[in-house]
Amino acid sequence: MTATTTPADESKQLGPQSAPLSRKARVLRALVPAAASALSGVLLYVSFPPRTLWWLALPAFAVFAWCLHGRSWKAGLGLGYLFGLGFLLPLLVWTGVEVGPGPWLALAAIEAMFVALVGAGIAAVSRLPGYPLWAAALWIAGEAARARVPFSGFPWGKIAFGQADGVFLPLAALGGTPVLGFAVVLCGFGLYELVRQVREARDPHSTGSVRRGAAAAALLSVLVPVAGAFAARPLVSDDAEDGTATVAAIQGNVPQAGLEFNAQRRAVLDHHVRETERLADRVKAGKAKQPDFVLWPENSSDIDPFTNPDAREAIERAVKAVGAPISVGGVVESKDGKLFNEQILWDPEKGPTDTYDKRQIQPFGEYIPLRDVVGFFSSDVGMVRQDFSRGTKPGVFTMAGTKVGLATCYEAAFDWAVRDTVTHGAQLISVPSNNATFDRSEMTYQQLAMSRIRAVEHSRTVTVPVTSGVSAIIMPDGRVSQKTKWFTADSLVEEVPLRSSQTPATRYGVLPEGILVLIAAGGLGWAVTGAVRARRAR
């Protein structure tokens, strides 16, 4: 095992003849890694959409590795928290667009705690052989925890979601977001380890055999993820295994951005009816292909069409005009008073024939957990007057013979919520969304990148109909074939490939993530056991 030099070791090497460090020098020695951790977190944020600088994730993790290597778990905890804040504060700023900075700062502060724990773990394993392997597995274990707790988790900011334009993208088809994210982090930590090994090679006290073994391990940490990505490329295909379908995605636009658009629910519905009728006119004029089916966004009809005759008549008018079934995003109250964020399959002849109720509802947006406690600190909880209820069944509509899987907006961030539409037969995936509450923030592009990852992960065309933009049609290889502009009424029509084969990521589900979590636990156990033995030997 190669020798490692910690700040404490360096102070010992000063020897009795060396002058003690000045107070200023000691402060700088403490501040440099702290500043580097925070800035490397910011660098990781810059690698995310709407920018296409995916490769910046590698130096971000390399610098983070330098900050943590050889330090105590307590130092790792603090440095990890700074890294998490540097990353998540700018990434999640959109959460405060309409409700002020309080929720944004609280969310980033809480989510950064997961990164702090990961930092403590990485510091603990940093002296083990194969440091990058344990560190990358620990990062994915942290993401796995963050995607599940609290309040059913918040996976936003998974490393995989910043890699839609990167060379590692094919790995999504191999093992989903955990394997894709693991490869990126492993490569970043491997870059640091390579640089460290070059410096170690100049140390006259280390043996050549140890240097060669450690250097080979570091090199593999960089080469294996890259080689794996190229080896996985045959898994990415947009071949039309089951023929094609012509799909239309409607973006009706909203009369006003922000939370107030909900007060203009009828206007939003009318906008989507009008844009669908406009598409029907284009079809009749031969300027657009006749769609086999049409997809409306989430919240395109916040007026319950089952209880409001005017809303029902407007939807039926649009369906008959375009002559194709429409998936309508509605807000529906059941007979027992429960509220659902629902997709409704509306047939031109039969009317509403099927429904899908959103299962992964958004805490503090669609329901308020611990309402009494939260209400003590913020009066904004009154904006959610009634909590939405969760659906229980996967959403797969049969639309003109095509199996269309549904993952409504926030659900696209959750691996399971997209995967089980495919395991239940979806040949195409739709992610109906409503981003109007977040104005022109980066949230729209972050979510669009998630859908691109899902397209490759499951080898399916993904459509993203959004109320106010950006709506898009994404091919199974992750390529965006069409997209709309922000806050513009528009429609996208395209003949897209239908597929039924399953990628390894679809077949294996959570298995790759589970294996990486076990690797992380093994590395952490090894490090803790070694530390205990060393303490007893003193």
Short mmCIF file of all heavy atoms in Angstrom, two decimals, residues 284-347:
data_model
loop_
_atom_site.label_atom_id
_atom_site.label_comp_id
_atom_site.label_asym_id
_atom_site.label_seq_id
_atom_site.Cartn_x
_atom_site.Cartn_y
_atom_site.Cartn_z
N LYS A 284 -55.51 19.17 -42.03
CA LYS A 284 -56.45 19.23 -43.15
C LYS A 284 -55.85 19.96 -44.34
O LYS A 284 -56.15 19.65 -45.50
CB LYS A 284 -57.73 19.94 -42.69
CG LYS A 284 -58.55 19.14 -41.71
CD LYS A 284 -59.78 19.92 -41.23
CE LYS A 284 -60.57 19.14 -40.21
NZ LYS A 284 -61.74 19.91 -39.69
N ALA A 285 -54.97 20.94 -44.05
CA ALA A 285 -54.34 21.70 -45.13
C ALA A 285 -53.12 20.99 -45.71
O ALA A 285 -52.48 21.50 -46.63
CB ALA A 285 -53.93 23.08 -44.61
N GLY A 286 -52.81 19.81 -45.17
CA GLY A 286 -51.66 19.06 -45.65
C GLY A 286 -50.33 19.60 -45.18
O GLY A 286 -49.27 19.23 -45.70
N LYS A 287 -50.34 20.44 -44.15
CA LYS A 287 -49.10 21.03 -43.63
C LYS A 287 -48.52 20.24 -42.46
O LYS A 287 -47.42 20.54 -42.00
CB LYS A 287 -49.36 22.47 -43.20
CG LYS A 287 -49.78 23.39 -44.35
CD LYS A 287 -50.04 24.80 -43.85
CE LYS A 287 -50.44 25.71 -45.00
NZ LYS A 287 -50.72 27.10 -44.52
N ALA A 288 -49.26 19.26 -41.98
CA ALA A 288 -48.78 18.40 -40.89
C ALA A 288 -49.37 17.02 -41.07
O ALA A 288 -50.45 16.86 -41.64
CB ALA A 288 -49.18 18.97 -39.53
N LYS A 289 -48.66 15.99 -40.61
CA LYS A 289 -49.15 14.62 -40.71
C LYS A 289 -50.28 14.41 -39.71
O LYS A 289 -50.29 15.00 -38.64
CB LYS A 289 -48.02 13.63 -40.43
CG LYS A 289 -46.92 13.62 -41.48
CD LYS A 289 -45.90 12.53 -41.21
CE LYS A 289 -46.52 11.15 -41.36
NZ LYS A 289 -45.52 10.06 -41.23
N GLN A 290 -51.20 13.53 -40.07
CA GLN A 290 -52.27 13.16 -39.15
C GLN A 290 -51.66 12.35 -38.00
O GLN A 290 -51.07 11.29 -38.22
CB GLN A 290 -53.32 12.33 -39.86
CG GLN A 290 -54.35 11.67 -38.94
CD GLN A 290 -55.22 12.69 -38.20
OE1 GLN A 290 -55.68 13.66 -38.78
NE2 GLN A 290 -55.42 12.45 -36.91
N PRO A 291 -51.79 12.83 -36.76
CA PRO A 291 -51.23 12.06 -35.65
C PRO A 291 -52.09 10.84 -35.32
O PRO A 291 -53.32 10.87 -35.46
CB PRO A 291 -51.23 13.06 -34.50
CG PRO A 291 -52.33 14.02 -34.82
CD PRO A 291 -52.36 14.11 -36.33
N ASP A 292 -51.43 9.78 -34.89
CA ASP A 292 -52.15 8.61 -34.40
C ASP A 292 -52.73 8.89 -33.02
O ASP A 292 -53.80 8.37 -32.67
CB ASP A 292 -51.22 7.39 -34.33
CG ASP A 292 -50.74 6.97 -35.71
OD1 ASP A 292 -51.58 6.86 -36.62
OD2 ASP A 292 -49.53 6.76 -35.87
N PHE A 293 -52.02 9.68 -32.24
CA PHE A 293 -52.51 10.08 -30.92
C PHE A 293 -51.83 11.38 -30.51
O PHE A 293 -50.80 11.76 -31.07
CB PHE A 293 -52.29 8.99 -29.87
CG PHE A 293 -50.89 8.47 -29.79
CD1 PHE A 293 -49.94 9.05 -28.96
CD2 PHE A 293 -50.50 7.36 -30.55
CE1 PHE A 293 -48.66 8.56 -28.88
CE2 PHE A 293 -49.21 6.86 -30.48
CZ PHE A 293 -48.29 7.46 -29.65
N VAL A 294 -52.44 12.05 -29.54
CA VAL A 294 -52.01 13.39 -29.13
C VAL A 294 -51.77 13.38 -27.62
O VAL A 294 -52.54 12.78 -26.86
CB VAL A 294 -53.07 14.45 -29.50
CG1 VAL A 294 -52.63 15.83 -29.05
CG2 VAL A 294 -53.36 14.42 -30.99
N LEU A 295 -50.73 14.07 -27.19
CA LEU A 295 -50.36 14.13 -25.78
C LEU A 295 -50.42 15.57 -25.28
O LEU A 295 -49.75 16.45 -25.83
CB LEU A 295 -48.95 13.55 -25.58
CG LEU A 295 -48.78 12.11 -26.09
CD1 LEU A 295 -47.30 11.72 -26.08
CD2 LEU A 295 -49.59 11.14 -25.24
N TRP A 296 -51.24 15.78 -24.28
CA TRP A 296 -51.32 17.09 -23.62
C TRP A 296 -50.47 17.05 -22.35
O TRP A 296 -50.22 15.98 -21.79
CB TRP A 296 -52.77 17.40 -23.24
CG TRP A 296 -53.61 17.93 -24.36
CD1 TRP A 296 -53.30 17.93 -25.69
CD2 TRP A 296 -54.92 18.49 -24.25
NE1 TRP A 296 -54.33 18.48 -26.42
CE2 TRP A 296 -55.35 18.84 -25.55
CE3 TRP A 296 -55.77 18.74 -23.18
CZ2 TRP A 296 -56.58 19.42 -25.79
CZ3 TRP A 296 -57.00 19.33 -23.42
CH2 TRP A 296 -57.40 19.67 -24.72
N PRO A 297 -50.08 18.22 -21.84
CA PRO A 297 -49.24 18.26 -20.64
C PRO A 297 -50.02 18.03 -19.34
O PRO A 297 -51.26 18.02 -19.32
CB PRO A 297 -48.66 19.67 -20.65
CG PRO A 297 -49.25 20.39 -21.80
CD PRO A 297 -50.28 19.53 -22.42
N GLU A 298 -49.28 17.88 -18.29
CA GLU A 298 -49.83 17.92 -16.93
C GLU A 298 -50.54 19.26 -16.72
O GLU A 298 -50.09 20.30 -17.20
CB GLU A 298 -48.67 17.78 -15.94
CG GLU A 298 -49.05 17.88 -14.48
CD GLU A 298 -47.83 17.94 -13.57
OE1 GLU A 298 -46.81 18.54 -13.98
OE2 GLU A 298 -47.89 17.40 -12.46
N ASN A 299 -51.66 19.24 -16.00
CA ASN A 299 -52.41 20.45 -15.67
C ASN A 299 -52.96 21.19 -16.88
O ASN A 299 -53.28 22.38 -16.80
CB ASN A 299 -51.56 21.43 -14.85
CG ASN A 299 -51.11 20.85 -13.53
OD1 ASN A 299 -49.93 20.90 -13.21
ND2 ASN A 299 -52.02 20.30 -12.76
N SER A 300 -53.10 20.51 -18.00
CA SER A 300 -53.70 21.17 -19.17
C SER A 300 -55.19 21.40 -18.96
O SER A 300 -55.79 22.25 -19.62
CB SER A 300 -53.45 20.36 -20.44
OG SER A 300 -53.72 18.99 -20.24
N SER A 301 -55.80 20.64 -18.04
CA SER A 301 -57.19 20.90 -17.65
C SER A 301 -57.30 20.78 -16.13
O SER A 301 -57.65 19.71 -15.61
CB SER A 301 -58.17 19.93 -18.32
OG SER A 301 -59.50 20.19 -17.91
N ASP A 302 -57.00 21.86 -15.43
CA ASP A 302 -57.14 21.85 -13.98
C ASP A 302 -58.60 21.93 -13.56
O ASP A 302 -58.92 21.83 -12.38
CB ASP A 302 -56.36 23.01 -13.36
CG ASP A 302 -54.90 22.64 -13.15
OD1 ASP A 302 -54.56 21.47 -13.38
OD2 ASP A 302 -54.10 23.51 -12.76
N ILE A 303 -59.49 22.13 -14.52
CA ILE A 303 -60.93 22.03 -14.26
C ILE A 303 -61.34 20.57 -14.47
O ILE A 303 -61.10 20.00 -15.54
CB ILE A 303 -61.73 22.95 -15.21
CG1 ILE A 303 -61.26 24.40 -15.06
CG2 ILE A 303 -63.21 22.83 -14.94
CD1 ILE A 303 -61.90 25.34 -16.04
N ASP A 304 -61.92 19.97 -13.48
CA ASP A 304 -62.29 18.56 -13.54
C ASP A 304 -63.34 18.34 -14.63
O ASP A 304 -64.48 18.79 -14.52
CB ASP A 304 -62.86 18.14 -12.18
CG ASP A 304 -63.13 16.64 -12.09
OD1 ASP A 304 -63.17 15.98 -13.15
OD2 ASP A 304 -63.30 16.15 -10.96
N PRO A 305 -62.98 17.63 -15.72
CA PRO A 305 -63.94 17.44 -16.81
C PRO A 305 -65.04 16.45 -16.47
O PRO A 305 -66.04 16.36 -17.20
CB PRO A 305 -63.07 16.93 -17.96
CG PRO A 305 -61.93 16.25 -17.28
CD PRO A 305 -61.67 17.02 -16.02
N PHE A 306 -64.88 15.70 -15.39
CA PHE A 306 -65.92 14.74 -15.00
C PHE A 306 -67.07 15.41 -14.23
O PHE A 306 -68.15 14.85 -14.13
CB PHE A 306 -65.32 13.62 -14.14
CG PHE A 306 -64.32 12.78 -14.87
CD1 PHE A 306 -62.99 12.80 -14.52
CD2 PHE A 306 -64.70 11.98 -15.93
CE1 PHE A 306 -62.06 12.02 -15.17
CE2 PHE A 306 -63.78 11.20 -16.62
CZ PHE A 306 -62.44 11.22 -16.24
N THR A 307 -66.80 16.59 -13.71
CA THR A 307 -67.84 17.30 -12.96
C THR A 307 -68.20 18.64 -13.59
O THR A 307 -69.20 19.25 -13.19
CB THR A 307 -67.39 17.54 -11.50
OG1 THR A 307 -66.18 18.31 -11.49
CG2 THR A 307 -67.13 16.21 -10.79
N ASN A 308 -67.41 19.10 -14.56
CA ASN A 308 -67.65 20.39 -15.19
C ASN A 308 -68.03 20.18 -16.66
O ASN A 308 -67.16 19.85 -17.48
CB ASN A 308 -66.42 21.27 -15.07
CG ASN A 308 -66.67 22.69 -15.53
OD1 ASN A 308 -66.97 22.93 -16.70
ND2 ASN A 308 -66.58 23.64 -14.62
N PRO A 309 -69.28 20.36 -17.02
CA PRO A 309 -69.73 20.11 -18.40
C PRO A 309 -69.00 20.98 -19.43
O PRO A 309 -68.74 20.53 -20.55
CB PRO A 309 -71.23 20.42 -18.36
CG PRO A 309 -71.61 20.28 -16.93
CD PRO A 309 -70.42 20.73 -16.14
N ASP A 310 -68.67 22.23 -19.07
CA ASP A 310 -68.00 23.12 -20.01
C ASP A 310 -66.61 22.58 -20.36
O ASP A 310 -66.19 22.60 -21.53
CB ASP A 310 -67.87 24.53 -19.42
CG ASP A 310 -69.21 25.24 -19.34
OD1 ASP A 310 -70.16 24.75 -19.97
OD2 ASP A 310 -69.29 26.27 -18.65
N ALA A 311 -65.87 22.11 -19.35
CA ALA A 311 -64.54 21.56 -19.60
C ALA A 311 -64.63 20.29 -20.45
O ALA A 311 -63.84 20.08 -21.37
CB ALA A 311 -63.84 21.26 -18.27
N ARG A 312 -65.60 19.46 -20.14
CA ARG A 312 -65.79 18.23 -20.90
C ARG A 312 -66.09 18.54 -22.37
O ARG A 312 -65.52 17.93 -23.28
CB ARG A 312 -66.92 17.40 -20.30
CG ARG A 312 -67.10 16.04 -20.97
CD ARG A 312 -68.30 15.29 -20.40
NE ARG A 312 -68.37 13.94 -20.97
CZ ARG A 312 -68.00 12.84 -20.34
NH1 ARG A 312 -67.52 12.91 -19.11
NH2 ARG A 312 -68.10 11.66 -20.93
N GLU A 313 -66.96 19.51 -22.59
CA GLU A 313 -67.33 19.87 -23.97
C GLU A 313 -66.12 20.41 -24.73
O GLU A 313 -65.92 20.10 -25.92
CB GLU A 313 -68.45 20.91 -23.93
CG GLU A 313 -69.06 21.23 -25.28
CD GLU A 313 -68.26 22.26 -26.07
OE1 GLU A 313 -67.60 23.11 -25.42
OE2 GLU A 313 -68.28 22.22 -27.32
N ALA A 314 -65.29 21.21 -24.07
CA ALA A 314 -64.12 21.78 -24.73
C ALA A 314 -63.14 20.69 -25.13
O ALA A 314 -62.58 20.70 -26.24
CB ALA A 314 -63.45 22.79 -23.80
N ILE A 315 -62.91 19.72 -24.23
CA ILE A 315 -61.99 18.63 -24.53
C ILE A 315 -62.52 17.77 -25.67
O ILE A 315 -61.79 17.40 -26.59
CB ILE A 315 -61.74 17.79 -23.27
CG1 ILE A 315 -60.99 18.61 -22.22
CG2 ILE A 315 -60.94 16.53 -23.60
CD1 ILE A 315 -60.91 17.95 -20.86
N GLU A 316 -63.81 17.47 -25.62
CA GLU A 316 -64.39 16.64 -26.68
C GLU A 316 -64.32 17.35 -28.03
O GLU A 316 -64.11 16.71 -29.06
CB GLU A 316 -65.84 16.29 -26.32
CG GLU A 316 -65.93 15.27 -25.19
CD GLU A 316 -67.36 14.85 -24.89
OE1 GLU A 316 -68.28 15.59 -25.31
OE2 GLU A 316 -67.53 13.80 -24.25
N ARG A 317 -64.46 18.66 -28.03
CA ARG A 317 -64.36 19.41 -29.27
C ARG A 317 -62.95 19.28 -29.87
O ARG A 317 -62.78 19.07 -31.07
CB ARG A 317 -64.68 20.89 -29.01
CG ARG A 317 -64.80 21.71 -30.29
CD ARG A 317 -65.29 23.12 -30.02
NE ARG A 317 -64.30 23.95 -29.33
CZ ARG A 317 -64.43 24.40 -28.10
NH1 ARG A 317 -65.51 24.12 -27.37
NH2 ARG A 317 -63.48 25.16 -27.55
N ALA A 318 -61.92 19.35 -29.00
CA ALA A 318 -60.55 19.22 -29.48
C ALA A 318 -60.27 17.81 -29.98
O ALA A 318 -59.63 17.62 -31.03
CB ALA A 318 -59.59 19.59 -28.35
N VAL A 319 -60.75 16.82 -29.25
CA VAL A 319 -60.52 15.42 -29.63
C VAL A 319 -61.16 15.13 -30.98
O VAL A 319 -60.55 14.49 -31.86
CB VAL A 319 -61.07 14.47 -28.55
CG1 VAL A 319 -61.00 13.02 -29.03
CG2 VAL A 319 -60.28 14.62 -27.26
N LYS A 320 -62.38 15.57 -31.19
CA LYS A 320 -63.07 15.31 -32.46
C LYS A 320 -62.43 16.09 -33.61
O LYS A 320 -62.37 15.61 -34.74
CB LYS A 320 -64.55 15.67 -32.33
CG LYS A 320 -65.32 14.75 -31.39
CD LYS A 320 -66.79 15.09 -31.33
CE LYS A 320 -67.54 14.19 -30.35
NZ LYS A 320 -67.45 12.77 -30.72
N ALA A 321 -61.94 17.28 -33.31
CA ALA A 321 -61.31 18.08 -34.36
C ALA A 321 -60.06 17.42 -34.90
O ALA A 321 -59.84 17.36 -36.11
CB ALA A 321 -60.97 19.48 -33.82
N VAL A 322 -59.23 16.88 -34.00
CA VAL A 322 -57.97 16.28 -34.44
C VAL A 322 -58.15 14.83 -34.87
O VAL A 322 -57.30 14.26 -35.55
CB VAL A 322 -56.91 16.39 -33.32
CG1 VAL A 322 -57.13 15.36 -32.22
CG2 VAL A 322 -55.49 16.31 -33.88
N GLY A 323 -59.27 14.21 -34.47
CA GLY A 323 -59.58 12.85 -34.92
C GLY A 323 -58.64 11.80 -34.39
O GLY A 323 -58.35 10.81 -35.07
N ALA A 324 -58.16 11.99 -33.16
CA ALA A 324 -57.22 11.03 -32.56
C ALA A 324 -57.39 11.08 -31.05
O ALA A 324 -57.80 12.11 -30.49
CB ALA A 324 -55.78 11.38 -32.95
N PRO A 325 -57.10 9.97 -30.36
CA PRO A 325 -57.19 9.99 -28.89
C PRO A 325 -56.18 10.95 -28.29
O PRO A 325 -55.09 11.14 -28.82
CB PRO A 325 -56.90 8.54 -28.50
CG PRO A 325 -56.16 7.95 -29.66
CD PRO A 325 -56.68 8.66 -30.88
N ILE A 326 -56.55 11.57 -27.17
CA ILE A 326 -55.69 12.53 -26.48
C ILE A 326 -55.51 12.09 -25.03
O ILE A 326 -56.47 11.67 -24.38
CB ILE A 326 -56.29 13.95 -26.50
CG1 ILE A 326 -56.42 14.46 -27.94
CG2 ILE A 326 -55.43 14.92 -25.70
CD1 ILE A 326 -57.03 15.87 -28.03
N SER A 327 -54.29 12.18 -24.55
CA SER A 327 -54.02 12.02 -23.12
C SER A 327 -54.07 13.41 -22.50
O SER A 327 -53.23 14.27 -22.80
CB SER A 327 -52.65 11.38 -22.88
OG SER A 327 -52.38 11.28 -21.50
N VAL A 328 -55.07 13.65 -21.65
CA VAL A 328 -55.34 14.97 -21.07
C VAL A 328 -54.85 15.00 -19.63
O VAL A 328 -55.16 14.10 -18.84
CB VAL A 328 -56.85 15.28 -21.11
CG1 VAL A 328 -57.15 16.62 -20.45
CG2 VAL A 328 -57.37 15.25 -22.54
N GLY A 329 -54.08 16.02 -19.27
CA GLY A 329 -53.64 16.18 -17.89
C GLY A 329 -54.67 16.96 -17.09
O GLY A 329 -54.89 18.14 -17.34
N GLY A 330 -55.31 16.30 -16.13
CA GLY A 330 -56.38 16.93 -15.37
C GLY A 330 -56.16 16.88 -13.87
O GLY A 330 -55.34 16.11 -13.38
N VAL A 331 -56.89 17.70 -13.17
CA VAL A 331 -56.98 17.63 -11.71
C VAL A 331 -58.38 17.15 -11.40
O VAL A 331 -59.37 17.83 -11.72
CB VAL A 331 -56.69 19.00 -11.06
CG1 VAL A 331 -56.95 18.93 -9.56
CG2 VAL A 331 -55.26 19.43 -11.33
N VAL A 332 -58.49 15.98 -10.77
CA VAL A 332 -59.77 15.29 -10.63
C VAL A 332 -60.02 14.96 -9.16
O VAL A 332 -59.12 14.50 -8.45
CB VAL A 332 -59.77 13.99 -11.47
CG1 VAL A 332 -61.04 13.19 -11.21
CG2 VAL A 332 -59.62 14.32 -12.94
N GLU A 333 -61.23 15.21 -8.72
CA GLU A 333 -61.63 14.85 -7.36
C GLU A 333 -62.53 13.62 -7.42
O GLU A 333 -63.53 13.60 -8.14
CB GLU A 333 -62.37 16.01 -6.68
CG GLU A 333 -62.68 15.74 -5.22
CD GLU A 333 -63.24 16.97 -4.50
OE1 GLU A 333 -63.25 18.06 -5.11
OE2 GLU A 333 -63.67 16.82 -3.35
N SER A 334 -62.15 12.59 -6.67
CA SER A 334 -62.92 11.34 -6.68
C SER A 334 -64.19 11.49 -5.85
O SER A 334 -64.39 12.49 -5.15
CB SER A 334 -62.06 10.20 -6.12
OG SER A 334 -61.75 10.44 -4.76
N LYS A 335 -65.03 10.47 -5.89
CA LYS A 335 -66.30 10.52 -5.18
C LYS A 335 -66.12 10.61 -3.67
O LYS A 335 -66.98 11.13 -2.96
CB LYS A 335 -67.14 9.30 -5.54
CG LYS A 335 -67.60 9.28 -7.00
CD LYS A 335 -68.44 8.05 -7.30
CE LYS A 335 -68.91 8.05 -8.75
NZ LYS A 335 -69.70 6.83 -9.07
N ASP A 336 -64.99 10.08 -3.19
CA ASP A 336 -64.75 10.13 -1.74
C ASP A 336 -63.96 11.37 -1.33
O ASP A 336 -63.45 11.45 -0.21
CB ASP A 336 -64.04 8.87 -1.26
CG ASP A 336 -62.72 8.64 -1.98
OD1 ASP A 336 -62.34 9.46 -2.85
OD2 ASP A 336 -62.05 7.63 -1.68
N GLY A 337 -63.82 12.34 -2.26
CA GLY A 337 -63.21 13.62 -1.92
C GLY A 337 -61.71 13.69 -2.09
O GLY A 337 -61.10 14.73 -1.79
N LYS A 338 -61.08 12.62 -2.57
CA LYS A 338 -59.63 12.64 -2.77
C LYS A 338 -59.28 13.37 -4.08
O LYS A 338 -60.02 13.28 -5.06
CB LYS A 338 -59.07 11.22 -2.81
CG LYS A 338 -59.15 10.51 -1.47
CD LYS A 338 -58.53 9.12 -1.56
CE LYS A 338 -58.57 8.42 -0.21
NZ LYS A 338 -57.98 7.06 -0.29
N LEU A 339 -58.15 14.07 -4.05
CA LEU A 339 -57.71 14.85 -5.20
C LEU A 339 -56.56 14.13 -5.89
O LEU A 339 -55.63 13.65 -5.23
CB LEU A 339 -57.25 16.23 -4.73
CG LEU A 339 -57.20 17.37 -5.76
CD1 LEU A 339 -58.60 17.66 -6.29
CD2 LEU A 339 -56.61 18.62 -5.11
N PHE A 340 -56.63 14.04 -7.23
CA PHE A 340 -55.61 13.33 -7.98
C PHE A 340 -55.09 14.18 -9.14
O PHE A 340 -55.86 14.90 -9.78
CB PHE A 340 -56.16 12.02 -8.56
CG PHE A 340 -56.47 10.98 -7.52
CD1 PHE A 340 -57.76 10.84 -7.03
CD2 PHE A 340 -55.47 10.15 -7.02
CE1 PHE A 340 -58.07 9.89 -6.07
CE2 PHE A 340 -55.76 9.19 -6.06
CZ PHE A 340 -57.06 9.07 -5.58
N ASN A 341 -53.79 14.09 -9.36
CA ASN A 341 -53.17 14.63 -10.56
C ASN A 341 -53.25 13.50 -11.59
O ASN A 341 -52.51 12.52 -11.49
CB ASN A 341 -51.71 15.02 -10.27
CG ASN A 341 -51.04 15.71 -11.44
OD1 ASN A 341 -51.42 15.51 -12.59
ND2 ASN A 341 -50.02 16.49 -11.16
N GLU A 342 -54.12 13.66 -12.56
CA GLU A 342 -54.54 12.53 -13.37
C GLU A 342 -54.32 12.77 -14.86
O GLU A 342 -54.55 13.87 -15.36
CB GLU A 342 -56.02 12.26 -13.10
CG GLU A 342 -56.57 10.98 -13.68
CD GLU A 342 -57.94 10.66 -13.08
OE1 GLU A 342 -58.95 11.16 -13.61
OE2 GLU A 342 -58.01 9.93 -12.08
N GLN A 343 -53.89 11.72 -15.53
CA GLN A 343 -53.91 11.69 -16.99
C GLN A 343 -55.15 10.92 -17.43
O GLN A 343 -55.43 9.84 -16.89
CB GLN A 343 -52.65 11.03 -17.54
CG GLN A 343 -51.39 11.86 -17.39
CD GLN A 343 -51.38 13.08 -18.30
OE1 GLN A 343 -51.65 12.97 -19.50
NE2 GLN A 343 -51.08 14.23 -17.73
N ILE A 344 -55.89 11.48 -18.38
CA ILE A 344 -57.15 10.89 -18.82
C ILE A 344 -57.04 10.56 -20.31
O ILE A 344 -56.73 11.44 -21.12
CB ILE A 344 -58.32 11.86 -18.60
CG1 ILE A 344 -58.35 12.36 -17.15
CG2 ILE A 344 -59.65 11.20 -18.97
CD1 ILE A 344 -59.22 13.58 -16.94
N LEU A 345 -57.28 9.31 -20.65
CA LEU A 345 -57.30 8.90 -22.05
C LEU A 345 -58.68 9.20 -22.62
O LEU A 345 -59.68 8.62 -22.20
CB LEU A 345 -56.98 7.41 -22.18
CG LEU A 345 -57.07 6.81 -23.59
CD1 LEU A 345 -56.21 7.59 -24.59
CD2 LEU A 345 -56.68 5.34 -23.57
N TRP A 346 -58.69 10.13 -23.60
CA TRP A 346 -59.96 10.60 -24.18
C TRP A 346 -60.03 10.16 -25.64
O TRP A 346 -59.24 10.59 -26.46
CB TRP A 346 -60.06 12.11 -24.07
CG TRP A 346 -61.47 12.59 -23.85
CD1 TRP A 346 -62.49 12.54 -24.75
CD2 TRP A 346 -62.00 13.17 -22.66
NE1 TRP A 346 -63.64 13.06 -24.20
CE2 TRP A 346 -63.36 13.46 -22.90
CE3 TRP A 346 -61.46 13.50 -21.42
CZ2 TRP A 346 -64.19 14.05 -21.96
CZ3 TRP A 346 -62.27 14.07 -20.47
CH2 TRP A 346 -63.62 14.34 -20.74
N ASP A 347 -61.00 9.31 -25.93
CA ASP A 347 -61.19 8.76 -27.28
C ASP A 347 -62.20 9.61 -28.06
O ASP A 347 -63.18 10.10 -27.49
CB ASP A 347 -61.69 7.32 -27.18
CG ASP A 347 -61.78 6.65 -28.53
OD1 ASP A 347 -60.75 6.15 -29.02
OD2 ASP A 347 -62.90 6.63 -29.11
#
